[in-house]
Amino acid sequence: MNVLAAVMQLLVAVAFVSIPVVRHRYGPAAKAAAEAELRRQNVRPQVLEENRLRFDAGGHETAAPATVAAIMTVTAALNLAGADLAQLMTWIFSSLVLVMNAGIVYSNLTAVKSVQAAFRRKGDPELARVEVAPFLKAAGDAFPRWVRLQTYLRNTTVFAGSTIALLAVTLTGN
């Protein structure tokens, strides 16, 4: 059962690594599309840079998923080694990953509303004028169609993999 938990944790790690990989590859196209949409809305595209808004894999867009992947890899190694600490680490980190991924899904589902609020909080009057729905659609459409499927697979892998890992260490009773 520890091997099953470890395999699931490694799948979760790969799922999280896929986030910055996709953003690195297609983020520049998303930025260009978002800037074109801003020009269509008569908003200066530079407002993105001025407010440190990104579509690439820089900053926390890489650090957060890479950290999750590293922690899940370490936890998987502990499970493979049969370490006493493996069950506790699995319970802590697989549970956190479940909660974090639920937050990510919620954020994606409420993106227009949350981005509108974030733009208003920035205090930049030009940014506050952005019609967010077409802005986000333009950026999203710059990603290949398969990215939507990859997102569903990633979320399924994270939810199922974390749940299975939790069940596996619980049934092992280490």
Side-chain angles (χ1 to χ4, degrees), residues 12 15-16 19 23 60-61 64-65 68 96-111 114 151 154-155 158-159:
V12 168
F16 269 89
I19 298 168
R23 287 181 68 104
H60 77 276
E61 290 87 359
V68 171
L96 283 173
V97 164
L98 282 169
V99 171
M100 285 186 327
N101 207 61
I104 291 168
V105 170
Y106 178 78
S107 174
N108 290 340
L109 293 173
T110 61
S114 63
T151 300
R154 179 180 49 76
N155 286 324
V158 170
F159 285 127

Side-chain angles (χ1 to χ4, degrees), residues 135-154:
F135 169 77
L136 291 178
K137 182 177 181 340
D141 287 350
F143 289 91
R145 285 190 165 162
W146 60 261
V147 171
R148 182 172 297 258
L149 174 62
Q150 183 260 354
T151 300
Y152 292 130
L153 290 172
R154 179 180 49 76

